Amino acid sequence: MQDRFKYRAWSKERNRYVTDKDIKDIFCNTYVKNHDLLELEDCSSYIVEQCTGLKDKNGKLIYEGDIVTGFFNNNKVIWNKDSFCVDDGSGVFDELAKSSEESIIIGNIHENPELLEDNE
């Protein structure tokens, strides 16, 4: 479950995920508490996504913002109140832990938003 405390960051300016080294350099002064990132001036151009601690059918770690399919249609992974869930676009959330081993990561909301178009 140690993977649950991994993060990745999408750079709005670079339009790509930054490396682990970049994350450490950028967020060395960032304070994370109760899954809320307190925005600092140097963080405003990044979207931070937390690892769920779960793996998909292929053994790949699932992060917030990933788009998963398999047991259900294409759904984005979100944090909803007290657990990681999948959002099917209708406002109905299913807990990800129930279906993560049946799901496959097919993209993410930044690089592959078109994968969610059928859900809208």
Side-chain angles (χ1 to χ4, degrees), residues 31-120:
Y31 178 67
V32 177
K33 182 179 181 183
N34 296 330
H35 194 73
D36 291 325
L37 175 69
L38 301 180
E39 293 285 330
L40 302 176
E41 283 185 48
D42 62 345
C43 297
S44 63
S45 61
Y46 297 90
I47 299 170
V48 178
E49 300 165 336
Q50 187 169 0
C51 184
T52 64
L54 302 170
K55 295 182 179 181
D56 74 356
K57 193 174 187 174
N58 298 321
K60 188 173 177 184
L61 285 171
I62 302 172
Y63 283 80
E64 286 179 278
D66 279 341
I67 300 172
V68 295
T69 192
F71 183 72
F72 31 68
N73 295 328
N74 296 358
N75 292 273
K76 65 181 170 183
V77 177
I78 63 165
W79 176 260
N80 184 42
K81 297 183 185 175
D82 60 357
S83 65
F84 286 101
C85 299
V86 288
D87 179 357
D88 68 359
S90 70
V92 176
F93 308 119
D94 290 319
E95 192 173 336
L96 180 63
K98 295 177 185 174
S99 55
S100 65
E101 292 178 355
E102 298 296 321
S103 64
I104 298 170
I105 299 168
I106 59 171
N108 63 69
I109 59 173
H110 309 291
E111 297 171 313
N112 316 99
E114 70 280 359
L115 295 174
L116 295 174
E117 288 176 0
D118 291 340
N119 293 2
E120 295 175 357

